[in-house]
Amino acid sequence: DSGVTQTPKHLITATGQRVTLRCSPRSGDLSVYWYQQSLDQGLQFLIQYYNGEERAKGNILERFSAQQFPDLHSELNLSSLELGDSALYFCASSVAGTGNQPQHFGDGTRLSIL
Amino acid sequence: AQSVAQPEDQVNVAEGNPLTVKCTYSVSGNPYLFWYVQYPNRGLQFLLKYITGDNLVKGSYGFEAEFNKSQTSFHLKKPSALVSDSALYFCAVRDSDSGNTPLVFGKGTRLSVIA
């Protein structure tokens, strides 16, 4: 058990809808990362927050947004969903925002767009 | 810019034989290197890391990796493979001089250990 909790585990919705994915980091970790994993694109970094502030941005679409709350949990919002957004979405956390600390991953949310 | 390559999509090995999963990287400064493993329907699980010091790094479940600066490689190894080692393995790199740049992951190598 990594200590990172993601909810829900599965999400099925339709095109054009909006969903929110939730992540609780490991106790003591200040940094949260979001990734998208699909068969054709591999593991893609989306965005990182550190202690409530956005730290780094990757290949995140404008339809997607995220935030980290004062209690350090994070939410990833996906809107105007398209079929191509179907993927596994992972959250990871680490103690610090940079450097040599490993990231610890949750078990992901599997998003299916019908 | 930083990048990482895992040249093999699939590695097959017989149980009890040694295994190697290859990784090469490119950074402008000094690398921080990581290996992760992903089992079906699970998140990535940290195996080991190289930051500095001894080129041979030992990690979880009997895995080790050798950092080779001249060949810019960080291959994952295990002396004797188990069927339970069958999984997807990811190498990741971060340039130690890159400020806030996040980890870059390879595309993954699927390891199959055959009984």
Side-chain angles (χ1 to χ4, degrees), chain A residues 31-38 41-50 53-61 64 66 76 88-94 97 103 105, chain B residues 2 44 90 92-94 100-106:
Chain A
S31 200
V32 168
Y33 310 79
W34 286 98
Y35 293 87
Q36 179 192 60
Q37 185 179 37
S38 59
Q41 293 292 324
L43 192 67
Q44 298 286 317
F45 168 72
L46 295 178
I47 198 164
Q48 176 198 355
Y49 279 83
Y50 176 73
E53 300 289 327
E54 182 182 307
R55 176 63 65 94
K57 217 167 190 176
N59 300 321
I60 188 166
L61 300 172
F64 296 0
L76 178 68
L88 263 172
Y89 291 85
F90 287 108
C91 168
S93 71
S94 66
Q103 296 176 20
F105 284 74
Chain B
Q2 52 194 24
L44 278 68
F90 290 93
V93 68
R94 188 177 174 278
N100 292 335
T101 305
L103 273 180
V104 173
F105 285 84

Side-chain angles (χ1 to χ4, degrees), chain B residues 18-110:
Chain B
L19 70 87
T20 298
V21 183
K22 295 180 181 177
C23 171
T24 58
Y25 67 90
S26 175
V27 296
S28 53
N30 292 311
Y32 294 149
L33 292 155
F34 302 81
W35 274 103
Y36 289 82
V37 60
Q38 185 180 24
Y39 297 100
N41 301 313
R42 301 299 303 275
L44 278 68
Q45 186 175 335
F46 169 69
L47 278 179
L48 52 80
K49 68 178 181 181
Y50 172 82
I51 303 302
T52 187
D54 195 349
N55 289 343
L56 186 63
V57 178
K58 294 189 183 297
S60 307
Y61 312 119
F63 284 94
E64 57 189 28
E66 186 167 11
F67 172 65
N68 187 317
K69 188 171 184 177
S70 63
Q71 296 186 3
T72 61
S73 67
F74 189 56
H75 301 331
L76 182 70
K77 301 181 180 185
K78 188 173 182 181
S80 178
L82 300 172
V83 171
S84 57
D85 293 329
S86 298
L88 189 57
Y89 289 81
F90 290 93
C91 181
V93 68
R94 188 177 174 278
D95 190 331
S96 63
D97 299 330
S98 63
N100 292 335
T101 305
L103 273 180
V104 173
F105 285 84
K107 290 192 175 297
T109 298
R110 188 163 299 281

